[in-house]
Amino acid sequence: MDFSKIFIKDANPTKMGGQAVMEGIMMKGADRSAIAVRREDGSINVKEEPLPPKKEWMKWPVLRGVMAFVDSLVTGTKTLMYSAGVLEEDIAEEEEETEPGRFEKWLSGKFGEKALFNFLLYGSVIIALVVSVGIFVLLPTWVVGLCKVFTHNAIILNLIEGILRIAMFVVYVALIAKMPDIHRVFQYHGAEHQTIHCYENGLELTPENCAQFETLHPRCGTSFIMFVFIISLLLFSFLGWPNVIVRLLSRLLLIPVVAGLSYELLRWAGRSDSV
């Protein structure tokens, strides 16, 4: 891997970001976003929309990281749902459209299609957040608590917890990457990084120009997650190793702080050209 093509000295870092969706990518700039989804016939469905202006307090250091974290959850789920909807339109043209469930009919009839969409959107975000926090935040500290039969050293226990959390995430990514649909999303994720590299280096956005860059980018959301794990390991170490209830509560309450600090570190890494 050529790190000189990831931390590029002559590049002009921007606020451009994005994410992979089903058969496409979403790109977001300072004032607007766009989603491009490849349909079955090879055509590209493009949707562009302006972004709401940010209030001044949303730009404060650390706090802006918390807001960006929440926004990424909502926007990420929304764009995935949109891309799935585009692909479902192609499937519906070939197959008989499935009948919505009774609850979907009731919610849509009672509150309208928008309410149904918002219910699915925010419900998905809440479920994803609860599952992620449960698996990658609460489960490791509970499991490592069982290690107290071997050692009572708080630093060692926190170190084991942090390593376990990172290992679980790496194994999780490796396993889901074996799923064909997720592997395809990861390919678009890499293409999104190549596109941003190309744009930040002032080149014309063509497949040939984008292909010369690496599929990793220093501002990648995966890097953000790794920063979260590392900072949480360091921060939680200062709290010692109290009983399991206190540990669970402290980790939950400090999630915004960890997210905010990780975002600031990610911004610094994105601006740095150090290899």
Side-chain angles (χ1 to χ4, degrees), residues 7 22 68 142 199 201 217 225 233 258:
F7 299 92
M22 298 178 66
W142 177 79
Y199 178 78
N201 280 273
H217 194 282
I225 295 175
L233 189 158
V258 172

Side-chain angles (χ1 to χ4, degrees), residues 51-95:
L51 296 174
K54 292 184 178 179
K55 300 183 183 301
E56 283 301 318
W57 62 270
M58 294 182 178
K59 301 177 183 179
W60 295 351
V62 180
L63 184 58
R64 61 190 174 189
V66 179
M67 300 306 299
F69 174 68
V70 174
D71 179 71
S72 66
L73 288 175
V74 176
T75 303
T77 305
K78 183 179 179 180
T79 53
L80 279 171
M81 291 173 63
Y82 175 80
S83 64
V86 172
L87 298 178
E88 284 178 2
E89 290 178 4
D90 293 337
I91 297 175
E93 293 176 358
E94 301 175 1
E95 303 176 359

